[in-house]
């Protein structure tokens, strides 16, 4: 039966449920084995799907985007073979297993594993064995979780560190592991430079300095977070943490209760944590508090005083009162078309993201008028410059103009034909692979430049070339993704205008993004023109279309 697979198309699926370091070493090993299996069976591996650092057990409700995409593709074909390292890598959930069985029975899908028995699921007896194996996998996962939870509770009551990323201030380097190529750290010993930074942050906070000032100070001194250098993957894009602080990270760090000296008042006298030194910090486990093995940084009084200072500030970062982004229809794809007026970028194109920012105006009758605006933000949360802060525009006018243009475009039969789903999965796979290769090339260039292999000007040119190619592929990816307009149930009979006003703002924004790459707002003279009752110049708004 295995010989019958030769020449057929196949998908590969990779998954590892815990990737704390973000190195994806587990999925890389799986990928190598799956490619070897495909070659052994004579299969043509069309695409490899990957859900890294996501659990598939019965105790998890995490959404596996690549898994769901793959299952949808198996239903429509032409690919009918799935390769995975083991059956448990595909799923441990009985309800998901039933879906796989239905695909095997009614769509002819076959599953092959690097480690594990592959069954002919068109046979009833084999489906029964498959269900038994799935139940055993689910039970094993739940047993492991129960043991792990019990161990966590025991560690907490003994005041032990429970793994994961180290806490800022702790984790003194005591050696080096050449196999893992990483430092060996002691989570119970302090890092003097980071402890000094924490005390400095405490003094500045209690003296009334803003978080913004403290964050700028730490970033200027080169103080990094504990996640510096870690890789994260989101929607096929890999980013490396630069370790910079922002006001959210600063507040969460300063108010981390792990730094607070443990108060044993009212604590059970037979708790093993009381054997730890009285200078211990606080070990937190759900609603329990225990004396930790690591030394404290702040007293309870200092912690409470900082909390009062943080909570007492009424100023929000951009919008006073905390206006949420999705109250603005074009949030996330509105770009500033102004130019920098200061810094070393003076005279250069801004290109910063514009945010929703309300403004109040006192009227002659004593009332206050609130106006929604799109604004080029000046500062990032980490204290670095974000944009030129010279372009602002009335949000209602911009949104009305863009909506009018989008609805007019949807009236065209050409745009409707462009949105009809096409067989573009193979090209999508090529685009994603191309983006991954360019990202790897970009990281390699950065490493070579750091090692002195390239001159600064040469590196700048090569980097820009890679970025231009990535931008081109990213635009093509958006165009391919826009073919999934059917998931939004967009009317194709010209009825979009009839339902537009009553639709949710999230749905309208999603429809706009089917055809619009970005909206660029250029500078204009205030009050220069009137348009539909607003002092607004439509010529200052540029719509970059995907279709």
């Amino acid at each position: 039966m295995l010989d019958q697979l030769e020449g057929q198309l196949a998908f590969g699926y990779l998954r590892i449920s815990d990737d704390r370091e973000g190195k994806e070493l587990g999925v890389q090993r799986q990928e190598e084995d799956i490619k070897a299996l495909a070659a052994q069976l004579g299969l043509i591996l069309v695409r490899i799907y990957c859900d890294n650092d996501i659990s598939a057990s019965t105790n998890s409700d995490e959404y596996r985007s690549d898994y769901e995409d793959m299952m949808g593709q198996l239903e429509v074909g032409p690919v009918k073979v799935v390769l995975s390292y083991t059956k448990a890598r595909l799923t441990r959930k009985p309800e998901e297993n039933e879906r796989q069985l239905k695909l095997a029975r009614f769509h002819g899908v076959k599953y092959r594993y690097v480690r594990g028995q592959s069954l002919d699921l068109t046979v009833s007896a084999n489906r029964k064995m498959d269900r038994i194996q799935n139940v055993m996998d689910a039970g094993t996962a739940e047993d492991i979780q129960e043991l792990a939870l019990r161990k966590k509770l025991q560690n907490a009551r003994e005041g032990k560190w429970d793994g994961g990323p180290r806490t800022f201030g702790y984790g003194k380097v005591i050696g080096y592991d050449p196999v893992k190529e990483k430092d060996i750290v002691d989570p119970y010993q302090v890092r003097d430079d980071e402890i000094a930074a924490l005390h400095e942050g405490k003094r500045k906070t209690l003296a009334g300095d803003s978080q913004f000032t403290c964050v700028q100070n730490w970033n200027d001194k080169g103080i990094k977070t504990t996640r510096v250098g870690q890789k994260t993957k989101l929607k096929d894009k890999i980013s490396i943490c630069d370790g910079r602080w922002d006001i959210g990270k600063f507040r969460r760090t300063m108010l981390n209760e792990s730094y607070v000296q443990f108060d044993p008042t009212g604590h059970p006298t037979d708790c093993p944590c009381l054997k730890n030194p009285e200078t211990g910090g606080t070990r937190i486990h759900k609603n329990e508090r225990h004396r930790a093995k690591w030394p404290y940084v702040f007293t309870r009084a200092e912690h409470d005083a900082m909390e009062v200072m943080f909570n007492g500030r009424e100023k929000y970062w951009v919008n006073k009162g905390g206006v949420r982004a999705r109250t603005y229809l074009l949030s996330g794809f509105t770009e500033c078309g102004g130019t920098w007026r200061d810094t070393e970028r003076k005279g250069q194109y801004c290109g910063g993201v514009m945010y929703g920012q309300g403004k109040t105006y006192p009227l002659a009758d004593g009332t206050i008028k609130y106006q929604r605006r799109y604004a080029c933000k000046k500062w990032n949360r980490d204290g670095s410059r974000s944009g030129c802060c010279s372009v602002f525009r009335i949000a209602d006018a911009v949104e009305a103009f863009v909506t009018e243009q989008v609805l007019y475009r949807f009236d065209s039969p050409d745009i409707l034909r462009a949105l009809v789903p096409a067989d573009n999965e193979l090209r999508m796979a090529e685009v994603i692979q191309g983006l991954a290769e360019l990202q790897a090339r970009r990281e390699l260039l950065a490493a070579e430049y750091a090692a002195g292999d390239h001159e600064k000007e040469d590196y700048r040119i090569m980097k820009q070339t890679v970025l231009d190619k990535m931008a081109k592929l990213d635009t093509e990816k958006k165009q391919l993704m826009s073919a999934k307009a059917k998931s939004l149930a967009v009317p194709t009979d010209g009825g979009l205008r009839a339902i537009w006003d009553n639709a949710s703002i999230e749905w309208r924004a999603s429809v706009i993004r089917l055809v619009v790459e970005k909206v660029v707002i250029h500078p204009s003279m205030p009050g220069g023109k009137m348009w539909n009752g607003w002092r607004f110049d439509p010529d200052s708004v540029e719509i970059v279309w995907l279709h």
Side-chain angles (χ1 to χ4, degrees), residues 196-216:
L198 288 170
H199 284 299
E200 181 187 32
K202 175 197 68 177
R203 288 193 296 271
K204 288 180 175 292
T205 299
L206 296 182
D209 287 3
S210 66
Q211 294 183 59
F212 182 77
T213 301
C214 296
V215 165
Q216 275 191 319

Side-chain angles (χ1 to χ4, degrees), residues 233-247:
K233 184 177 182 181
L234 179 63
K235 296 181 179 179
D236 303 317
K237 291 185 178 180
I238 299 176
S239 60
I240 302 177
C241 179
D242 59 7
R244 290 180 64 83
W245 292 88
D246 60 42
I247 58 175

